Amino acid sequence: MILLDKNTKVVVQGATGKMGSSHTKRMIEYGTKIVAGVTPGKGGTTVHGLPVYDSVKEAVEKTGATCSVIFVPPYGSLDAGFEAVDAGIDLIVLITEGIPPQDTAKLVAHVKANGVKMVGPNCPGVITPGESLVGILPGSIFKPGATGMVSRSGTLTYEIALALTEAGIGQSTCVGIGGDPVKGTGYQEPLQMFNDDPKTEVIVMIGEIGGTAEEEAAEFIKKNVKKPVIGFIAGVTAPPGKRMGHAGAIISGGKGTAESKMKSFEKNGIKVAMTPKEVAKLVGECLKTPAKA
Amino acid sequence: MNLYEYEAKQLFAEGGIAVPPSARITKPEDLSKVHLGWPVILKCQVMSGGRGKAGGIQKVKTLEEGKEVAKKLLAMTIKDSKTESLLVEPIVNFKKEIYLAVTIDRERGCPIFIAAADGGMEIESNPNVQTVPITYPFHPYQGRALAHLLGLKGAVFAKVADIAAKLYLLFEKYDLDLAEINPLFVTEGDDVIAGDGKITINDDAMGRQKKFDGWQDKHLVDLPVRERRSKKEGLNLVELDGNIGIICNGAGLTMATMDMVKKFGGNPGNFLDAGGGSDQEKTLTAIEIVHDNPNCDVILLNILGGITACDEVAGALVEFMKRHPNRKMIVRLRGNNQDKAEKMLAESGLKLYPDIEDAVKAAVEAAKTKQPVAAR
């Protein structure tokens, strides 16, 4: 497992909002060690039995939280992210969708300068099945196991996790890095962590059209990752020049096509699956032959 | 949201970047009220690129000739983009054309300058293009560093550096995805003037960029009718050539569903991402929009509920089937409140496919026969 385990103490920024509150409840029910909520002006109240503080700094001091999950509206996210970094949080999971990319770029610069990890924005979050869920992933479709997953997409990740779980294959950790063009964590960091994680045997990497992150990750895998990697790319049928829902999903100037990504996967020794069920099939084959550590 | 050239130049002028004197006309006879001397250049105001090659920029020597040419240009449509108006400008005598742009570099995760000392056409294949990451907080020296990299000297160095800095400030102030000047003219007298401009405002920032309130309608004119309607409803629609309408929650899943339709022998008719957490009303709107596409013989709805509740989706389906009882509809629903959804759908006579592959195959099969016209 990577990033999260059952002891990770999590604070929720925006825990009293509609979305923040309902997901705080679901995370607590899953077993995540949620220790506090933060909503400026609501310090001293409670949410789902947890204390609410006015600032992240106060929450960290009182609870020892090391992870913050952010559910604040798009235009407040830059501020909330800076607050988390400056309060000494180690891992930020930024769920919010629709943050202007220049705000994200400013936040990413601050995060990197301070050695903090950030997953997101516009992401479903991170889950270590059976231990901790931080974000909005539906916990019930995951189960503990030896497959690490890293993905740019939300519901597609659920679809593939479901195919794995139904095939009897569990997951070590699943990281949704988010669909925005500018983000805190790309593919390479989780790939390296999965490679170094003794509980992960196989890695599933889920990509989509747009940009060249998958191509760069494929080269990174060839050089650095010793475990088998199964790849899936969405958007084979996407027309060029059109933004396919995600802000980052656009083929521009002939770059970012599914074909280019799949070729790059194959060239670098990554097996490409064409459907979610085929992902499960390929992972299953790798699990039978033990990984060459 | 993309701006027209004349709007981009208004922003440049506001930001202190020199632009040529100009007038904008919407009728040929308005040319008689323009006092810029002769000859002048008439430029079609369109959203599409390749305007010059398509004949959308013309030089005219007299008022008479100008009126005649203006009439033709105003009636032009360039790559599906209708001419909105004409921009009239005097001819700029230049000795050099520079390319200058600010955009976000998705791989580096920061804004960058893109520039070339020899701008003009075919910038994508120009080997002299420089890309320079912009660091926070921005200071004007970053513009000077760029001008130095372009090999500029003296007054032109100072002016280009100043324009680069001002272009970045506009980029930041208005949440732009792209601010581009191409060409940036250097005149015989060493003046530096923006000859053409392209500006894209980030769609997610429209809610806080009050200057552009109400601009959306005018700037979405080139989009097909249903894509425009979707955009207003907060849905992401892209129409394709096939006959299987597709609605999913989440962009990645929507694309993967399209790909599976193709893999199993069908042709996707659209991409429609209804987003996460859509309620009954929004889901119903999404289905109605796909239903309105005359090429669509079957609708495939694939929802894997994370934050979307299945009963909300089922509610929308029940209502939709009441309105259009003969519509061929394949439904895959899985997630929160699935049992409740199943019961609701059974009453509408809709079968529920829990498995994605089964649903896709059923849709492909159903798409082999045409949707009866009476069902619309």
Side-chain angles (χ1 to χ4, degrees):
Chain A
M1 70 188 77
I2 65 169
L3 295 169
L4 289 180
D5 61 32
K6 60 180 188 300
N7 299 315
T8 310
K9 287 184 181 174
V10 183
V11 55
V12 183
Q13 286 178 260
T16 56
K18 189 179 165 224
M19 193 180 172
S21 168
S22 72
H23 286 288
T24 299
K25 188 162 171 272
R26 291 177 65 177
M27 288 188 282
I28 294 169
E29 283 164 2
Y30 192 78
T32 309
K33 203 166 191 178
I34 306 280
V35 292
V38 172
T39 302
K42 293 205 175 162
T45 63
T46 61
V47 60
H48 306 301
L50 294 170
V52 174
Y53 298 99
D54 284 321
S55 72
V56 183
K57 189 164 182 281
E58 201 185 345
V60 167
E61 282 167 3
K62 297 271 168 60
T63 65
T66 57
C67 171
S68 176
V69 56
I70 301 181
F71 285 102
V72 308
Y75 302 156
S77 294
L78 175 63
D79 184 24
F82 262 69
E83 185 184 350
V85 172
D86 295 349
I89 288 288
D90 299 328
L91 172 66
I92 295 171
V93 179
L94 179 48
I95 303 298
T96 310
E97 179 180 358
I99 303 174
Q102 293 194 49
D103 280 7
T104 308
K106 283 173 189 161
L107 179 54
V108 166
H110 191 59
V111 158
K112 284 189 179 154
N114 288 278
V116 173
K117 281 193 179 60
M118 181 171 94
V119 177
N122 186 15
C123 80
V126 184
I127 182 169
T128 295
E131 303 242 341
S132 184
L133 183 170
V134 173
I136 60 175
L137 306 112
S140 62
I141 62 174
F142 294 86
K143 75 169 209 165
T147 303
M149 295 175 73
V150 55
S151 172
R152 256 163 88 180
S153 159
T155 45
L156 176 56
T157 310
Y158 311 161
E159 189 73 61
I160 292 174
L162 182 68
L164 289 171
T165 299
E166 285 186 340
I169 300 165
Q171 306 87 36
S172 53
T173 297
C174 174
V175 188
I177 59 175
D180 275 9
V182 181
K183 46 182 164 276
T185 301
Y187 286 113
Q188 300 181 10
E189 232 179 309
L191 284 169
Q192 184 69 58
M193 293 168 98
F194 281 132
N195 186 62
D196 301 341
D197 169 38
K199 290 200 173 154
T200 301
E201 276 181 49
V202 187
I203 303 165
V204 173
M205 177 177 159
I206 303 160
E208 62 186 34
I209 55 158
T212 53
E214 287 83 0
E215 286 88 332
E216 282 158 28
E219 283 170 27
F220 177 84
I221 287 168
K222 188 170 191 183
K223 272 191 216 133
N224 304 291
V225 177
K226 307 284 177 254
K227 295 176 182 174
V229 181
I230 311 299
F232 183 91
I233 300 288
V236 178
T237 48
K242 291 280 190 176
R243 202 177 95 161
M244 307 302 277
H246 281 157
I250 183 165
I251 300 170
S252 49
K255 274 190 183 171
T257 63
E259 201 193 347
S260 143
K261 291 171 193 297
M262 287 178 179
K263 266 192 191 151
S264 170
F265 275 5
E266 279 163 1
K267 206 179 92 192
N268 290 291
I270 301 161
K271 283 187 192 154
V272 179
M274 299 305 290
T275 65
K277 280 189 183 163
E278 208 179 312
V279 173
K281 186 175 153 266
L282 293 175
V283 170
E285 285 167 12
C286 294
L287 285 172
K288 276 174 225 155
T289 43
K292 22 169 188 157
Chain B
M1 182 177 78
N2 295 320
L3 298 188
Y4 290 105
E5 177 194 2
Y6 74 90
E7 295 165 330
K9 283 180 168 170
Q10 283 167 8
L11 278 198
F12 292 159
E14 180 200 309
I17 296 168
V19 295
S22 68
R24 180 173 153 252
I25 61 168
T26 53
K27 297 192 289 282
E29 50 273 27
D30 288 350
L31 205 52
S32 52
K33 293 179 225 155
V34 174
H35 304 289
L36 292 165
W38 300 92
V40 292
I41 305 268
L42 303 180
K43 301 164 97 178
C44 288
Q45 297 300 293
V46 286
M47 290 293 179
S48 51
R51 175 181 60 168
K53 275 187 192 159
I57 301 175
Q58 300 288 335
K59 178 174 156 181
V60 293
K61 295 192 188 85
T62 64
L63 177 61
E64 286 318 300
E65 186 196 358
K67 281 185 188 167
E68 218 165 281
V69 172
K71 196 177 161 195
K72 278 188 213 145
L73 291 182
L74 281 164
M76 260 179 100
T77 295
I78 299 172
K79 286 188 203 159
D80 297 332
S81 180
K82 218 176 148 298
T83 300
E84 188 254 7
S85 59
L86 298 181
L87 191 64
V88 188
E89 289 181 345
I91 287 161
V92 177
N93 290 307
F94 58 91
K95 61 177 181 188
K96 193 178 171 74
E97 289 178 296
I98 290 171
Y99 176 89
L100 178 63
V102 184
T103 189
I104 288 266
D105 182 330
R106 54 189 296 159
E107 313 306 342
R108 291 187 179 106
C110 66
I112 50 165
F113 282 122
I114 307 177
D118 51 343
M121 309 270 231
E122 315 296 337
I123 194 70
E124 289 87 355
S125 53
N126 184 331
N128 301 322
V129 169
Q130 309 274 358
T131 60
V132 182
I134 293 166
T135 52
Y136 295 119
F138 181 83
H139 292 286
Y141 83 87
Q142 298 188 45
R144 297 198 293 279
L146 181 75
H148 178 74
L149 207 61
L150 294 176
L152 304 172
K153 300 271 182 258
V156 176
F157 168 90
K159 283 178 186 168
V160 171
D162 181 54
I163 287 174
K166 284 172 172 165
L167 192 63
Y168 173 77
L169 294 176
L170 283 173
F171 178 82
E172 183 174 280
K173 179 176 177 190
Y174 289 119
D175 277 308
L176 307 182
D177 282 339
L178 174 71
E180 181 190 79
I181 306 176
N182 187 31
L184 179 62
F185 290 128
V186 179
T187 68
E188 292 295 340
D190 282 348
D191 282 328
V192 183
I193 302 168
D196 195 358
K198 219 186 211 171
I199 279 183
T200 307
I201 299 152
N202 183 257
D203 287 333
D204 286 328
M206 288 298 284
R208 69 181 181 191
Q209 290 297 345
K210 299 295 171 209
K211 184 185 176 81
F212 307 111
D213 272 357
W215 287 40
Q216 284 277 27
D217 272 350
K218 185 177 146 193
H219 290 78
L220 292 178
V221 288
D222 294 335
L223 279 183
V225 165
R226 286 181 294 275
E227 288 188 24
R228 206 185 320 161
R229 188 171 150 206
S230 301
K231 205 151 188 165
K232 279 189 199 161
E233 300 284 352
L235 299 161
N236 293 300
L237 173 74
V238 177
E239 294 204 328
L240 306 159
D241 299 332
N243 67 340
I244 302 179
I246 294 171
I247 305 165
C248 301
N249 59 334
L253 184 61
T254 315
M255 281 191 275
T257 305
M258 285 162 57
D259 295 350
M260 284 172 74
V261 163
K262 187 91 186 171
K263 185 185 150 68
F264 291 121
N267 271 313
N270 71 276
F271 164 102
L272 199 156
D273 168 17
S278 290
D279 57 11
Q280 182 166 330
E281 200 187 322
K282 199 169 168 189
T283 309
L284 185 58
T285 308
I287 306 172
E288 287 284 1
I289 288 173
V290 174
H291 173 76
D292 281 348
N293 181 351
N295 297 328
C296 204
D297 290 319
V298 57
I299 299 175
L300 168 61
L301 184 90
N302 178 20
I303 303 285
L304 178 56
I307 50 177
T308 307
C310 290
D311 54 328
E312 292 273 348
V313 177
L317 278 167
V318 168
E319 176 59 30
F320 177 83
M321 292 314 285
K322 245 186 243 164
R323 294 183 197 170
H324 315 280
N326 295 319
R327 170 44 92 177
K328 278 196 269 176
M329 173 82 76
I330 304 292
V331 181
R332 189 275 184 130
L333 259 182
R334 184 128 186 192
N336 289 335
N337 309 337
Q338 192 176 325
D339 300 350
K340 204 169 153 193
E342 224 156 318
K343 265 184 211 147
M344 291 165 75
L345 289 181
E347 284 161 30
S348 293
L350 280 175
K351 186 181 165 191
L352 207 147
Y353 294 81
D355 184 88
I356 183 172
E357 283 193 14
D358 292 345
V360 169
K361 284 174 190 163
V364 170
E365 196 49 42
K368 286 179 183 161
T369 52
K370 278 207 92 50
Q371 169 79 21
V373 177
R376 294 186 192 284

